[in-house]
Amino acid sequence: MKRTRALTVLIALILSLAAPPAVAREPGPPPASPSAAPAEALTQVIGDPVAVPKSNVHVFYEATVTCPAGQTPTGGGPKVSPYDNPLQLISSYPRGNGWVVTVDGESDVDATLWATVICSTEPHTQISNGPVTVAPRNEGGLSATCPAGQYATGGGGLVDLGVIDVEGSFADGNEANNTWNYNINNPSGRPLELRPFVICSTSPHHHYWGDGTKLPFSHGTAHDLKYCPTGMVTGGGAIAVGTAIYESSFWGNGWLAQSVNYSGDHPEVRANVVCKD
């Protein structure tokens, strides 16, 4: 028994001498923390030009634009040339991953129409409402509202093809900034259906109004331009008091609205810009 115990002690001693001494290891790099989500990227896109030949009858034209792959619209609108011979706006609204504009092409000179859109790398929700019927020789409008906790980034409206005046396409003045209005005048002899659209984001956005610009007499044109005081432009619109909107599109970090005066008074146009905080 003594020999066995002595042999066991000897083996343990040999193993302890053969094992390498413990070495203090320097601490390794800390565990990788989750990477921060990339910041939203916004891209301004102008679609292909659509030629609108002069015409003394009502002819309707459509212009479209598409966001880059993987991006979604936040706002958009029509751009026209020449600026002093406007085309009559009918519809301006999001469709899938792009924007659509329709106009009445009755015009004294050749013109060009573009659809414009602002696109985001973040997901957005498109909400529509209605339709509502605007009776002949009447004004009418409707609003679309974002889901609870979301903010309007832009919007527009879809109207039946017809001879109309778009009097307003704008973010509502409520504190929640979650609603978009589309208002028209229907001077025709038939009812027209109108459907407003709003584009929504979970990120805070705010809208701001321009000072407004009076239009000169005799088919005079004027514009109003409002820049984002902070943040980045995501969309916009306008109100035309006593006249109609014919251009409503981004301009740098702001929104440009233009109108023409068909009345004997001095109507006003005001730009409405939506900005991400």
Side-chain angles (χ1 to χ4, degrees), residues 41-170:
L42 295 169
T43 305
Q44 298 180 354
V45 184
I46 300 176
D48 293 333
V50 174
V52 183
K54 63 182 179 180
S55 173
N56 59 4
V57 296
H58 298 289
V59 184
F60 303 113
Y61 292 85
E62 178 180 280
T64 63
V65 62
T66 303
C67 288
Q71 298 190 28
T72 58
T74 65
K79 177 179 174 61
V80 301
S81 177
Y83 73 91
D84 59 350
N85 189 68
L87 304 172
Q88 202 76 4
L89 175 63
I90 300 172
S91 299
S92 174
Y93 63 100
R95 186 171 69 190
N97 69 330
W99 203 269
V100 181
V101 171
T102 58
V103 300
D104 180 355
E106 184 189 27
S107 174
D108 294 335
V109 299
D110 294 336
T112 306
L113 170 70
W114 296 264
T116 72
V117 67
I118 300 176
C119 307
S120 171
T121 53
E122 291 186 354
H124 288 72
T125 304
Q126 296 178 16
I127 305 291
S128 64
N129 192 16
V132 64
T133 299
V134 181
R137 293 172 288 279
N138 273 275
E139 295 177 322
L142 192 64
S143 62
T145 301
C146 292
Q150 297 194 28
Y151 302 82
T153 69
L158 170 61
V159 185
D160 290 340
L161 293 179
V163 182
I164 69 164
D165 300 322
V166 177
E167 299 176 329
S169 176
F170 57 94

Side-chain angles (χ1 to χ4, degrees), residues 76 89 155 166-171 180-183 208-210 224 235-241 244-249 255-259 268-273:
L89 175 63
V166 177
E167 299 176 329
S169 176
F170 57 94
W180 199 270
N181 294 297
Y182 205 79
N183 303 324
Y208 305 89
W209 284 101
D224 193 39
I239 281 182
V241 181
I245 302 161
Y246 71 84
E247 180 162 342
S248 178
S249 62
W255 201 263
L256 175 71
Q258 298 203 79
S259 294
E268 180 179 279
V269 59
R270 295 186 68 194
N272 174 241
V273 66

Side-chain angles (χ1 to χ4, degrees), residues 159-239:
V159 185
D160 290 340
L161 293 179
V163 182
I164 69 164
D165 300 322
V166 177
E167 299 176 329
S169 176
F170 57 94
D172 199 359
N174 61 18
E175 291 295 328
N177 189 40
N178 63 357
T179 302
W180 199 270
N181 294 297
Y182 205 79
N183 303 324
I184 69 168
N185 174 43
N186 177 13
S188 72
R190 65 185 183 90
L192 297 172
E193 285 192 344
L194 179 159
R195 184 183 295 275
F197 285 77
V198 63
I199 303 177
C200 309
S201 168
T202 56
S203 300
H205 289 68
H206 289 87
H207 63 268
Y208 305 89
W209 284 101
D211 295 332
T213 303
K214 296 287 188 181
L215 279 74
F217 285 126
S218 186
H219 288 70
T221 59
H223 73 269
D224 193 39
L225 175 61
K226 181 64 177 177
Y227 289 104
C228 287
T230 59
M232 294 295 296
V233 59
T234 63
I239 281 182

Side-chain angles (χ1 to χ4, degrees), residues 35-41 121-122 276:
S35 57
E40 179 183 21
T121 53
E122 291 186 354
K276 180 179 180 180

